[in-house]
Amino acid sequence: MILIHHFLVHGIGEGNIPHNLYYVINPFVYCGVNIFFLITGHFSIRYTFRGLVKFVIGILFFGVVNLMLMLAANGQVSLKSVLNTILFPVSGSPYWFLHVYLLLMASAPLLNAGLRALTRTQIRNIVIVLTALILYMRGGHGNHTYFQALYFYCVGYYMRLADLSSAISKKMLLSLFLLSCSLAACADYASIMIRHQPLGYLTLYNNIFVITGAVSLYLLFCKLCFTSLTINRIASASLGCYLLQDGKFGYSFLYGFQNSFLEAHGFGWALLGMFTACFLLFWTASYILTRFQNIWINPLTDRILSIVHRLLPTASRIRLPQ
């Protein structure tokens, strides 16, 4: 869903899709980020300093891959891009999601301890109040920020705790998802027809339609019960897909190429084939790179931690609650 959204908003561009179909298609894929935060809250983050270091190293690795792809595509990479990637692999990147997720990981011990200290009723009431405030504020600091992650983390935690998925049928959850997305699409399209511009409210992650769509689809998958080694292996490459698509290579070359392809070939099977090829290429490349990363990232992380513990012996004795 996230990859398709980026293809639409960056690769094609809102204004380049005939009959403003962007505002009809995008609502059905826009809630992917919120679902990711819901899943994180469902399982909760088991914080370790090692996990934090490993996360940053993984981002650094894909940042270097982005630089190599930029070099291959453009023949040059600026010194600023190299220094930002090496010195600030997370904050120096264009990934707003990673900035937020790193803060979420670091604050997980505090969040988990606070949630465990509350009763189910207290958490429910807090979620209700936060939902009302987010809808009332219409985005702002609740959109593309740490608070967005915090909110959906709490919602995912509560829904697992209360086992809400068991109270609603699969048919009802699927209907809720399709209805919320359809209403968002209709509202945006009607706004374009009447006001000649879309409703900015519907492009926020924290509007009523996106929240409802994310929660209903998340709860629908909570009801599924199956095991699949294939899906688990493919899922391990999901973060890498995002890092390859929406990184410096994407913004400096890929999206421009896709837009130029659109201008040259127009809308048709050639454009669909190009996006399908890019989609499959991202997953294949990410899967290979992730498997390669898994070979060396654990030994490297342990080596870095051993150096840190020698330099800061007190830090090695600090144990945070899970």
Side-chain angles (χ1 to χ4, degrees):
M1 295 170 74
I2 294 171
L3 262 65
I4 293 172
H5 166 66
H6 288 158
F7 284 151
L8 291 172
V9 70
H10 298 312
I12 297 179
E14 301 176 20
N16 293 326
I17 300 180
H19 309 299
N20 296 302
L21 288 179
Y22 166 85
Y23 301 101
V24 176
I25 300 172
N26 194 51
F28 289 88
V29 296
Y30 193 51
C31 63
V33 170
N34 290 346
I35 293 174
F36 201 101
F37 286 133
L38 285 169
I39 295 171
T40 305
H42 178 105
F43 291 103
S44 298
I45 296 174
R46 271 63 171 179
Y47 174 91
T48 63
F49 183 65
R50 183 182 187 278
L52 203 67
V53 173
K54 183 178 177 180
F55 176 77
V56 174
I57 293 174
I59 305 307
L60 173 59
F61 169 64
F62 275 93
V64 172
V65 170
N66 268 271
L67 291 180
M68 295 173 64
L69 290 173
M70 288 171 60
L71 187 62
N74 300 330
Q76 60 181 5
V77 174
S78 69
L79 178 61
K80 181 180 179 181
S81 293
V82 174
L83 291 177
N84 270 340
T85 298
I86 296 175
L87 299 178
F88 307 101
V90 177
S91 61
S93 70
Y95 311 110
W96 74 266
F97 173 81
L98 295 185
H99 304 172
V100 171
Y101 198 80
L102 184 64
L103 293 174
L104 188 66
M105 289 180 67
S107 59
L110 178 62
L111 293 176
N112 294 341
L115 288 169
R116 285 197 300 267
L118 298 172
T119 65
R120 183 187 302 180
T121 301
Q122 288 174 321
I123 299 176
R124 181 201 64 193
N125 293 340
I126 289 173
V127 167
I128 291 174
V129 170
L130 289 179
T131 302
L133 287 174
I134 280 179
L135 295 178
Y136 174 75
M137 292 188 296
R138 296 168 296 159
H141 290 291
N143 195 63
H144 287 88
T145 65
Y146 172 78
F147 189 75
Q148 176 187 350
L150 171 68
Y151 168 68
F152 284 103
Y153 188 90
C154 293
V155 172
Y157 182 94
Y158 170 71
M159 290 188 170
R160 177 190 58 79
L161 187 68
D163 192 22
L164 289 186
S165 63
S166 63
I168 311 176
S169 68
K170 294 180 182 177
K171 184 177 181 179
M172 177 60 70
L173 290 171
L174 180 60
S175 299
L176 276 174
F177 171 74
L178 295 176
L179 179 62
S180 62
C181 296
S182 299
L183 287 174
C186 291
D188 241 340
Y189 201 76
S191 176
I192 294 171
M193 295 295 101
I194 298 172
R195 301 168 61 240
H196 304 292
Q197 61 181 5
L199 291 171
Y201 173 70
L202 297 182
T203 59
L204 301 175
Y205 283 114
N206 291 328
N207 70 65
I208 183 63
F209 301 111
V210 178
I211 292 176
T212 303
V215 169
S216 57
L217 192 60
Y218 151 79
L219 289 176
L220 175 62
F221 274 82
C222 285
K223 296 179 73 70
L224 303 181
C225 184
F226 66 95
T227 57
S228 172
L229 184 60
T230 300
I231 289 180
N232 286 339
R233 286 176 174 171
I234 294 174
S236 68
S238 58
L239 180 60
C241 283
Y242 167 65
L243 298 177
L244 289 174
Q245 181 198 37
D246 217 40
K248 292 180 178 179
F249 170 72
Y251 283 99
S252 66
F253 176 78
L254 175 68
Y255 294 137
F257 160 76
Q258 292 177 337
N259 198 265
S260 298
F261 191 96
L262 168 63
E263 293 178 356
H265 299 276
F267 285 88
W269 289 109
L271 183 69
L272 179 61
M274 182 273 291
F275 278 115
T276 301
C278 288
F279 186 87
L280 295 176
L281 184 60
F282 279 132
W283 279 102
T284 303
S286 176
Y287 181 79
I288 294 172
L289 290 169
T290 301
R291 293 295 294 268
F292 170 69
Q293 174 187 272
N294 291 340
I295 296 173
W296 52 263
I297 194 168
N298 285 322
L300 178 59
T301 302
D302 293 335
R303 179 61 178 168
I304 292 174
L305 289 177
S306 67
I307 295 173
V308 172
H309 290 164
R310 283 200 300 270
L311 296 175
L312 302 170
T314 304
S316 64
R317 297 195 295 270
I318 296 177
R319 294 293 183 269
L320 294 175
Q322 298 303 307

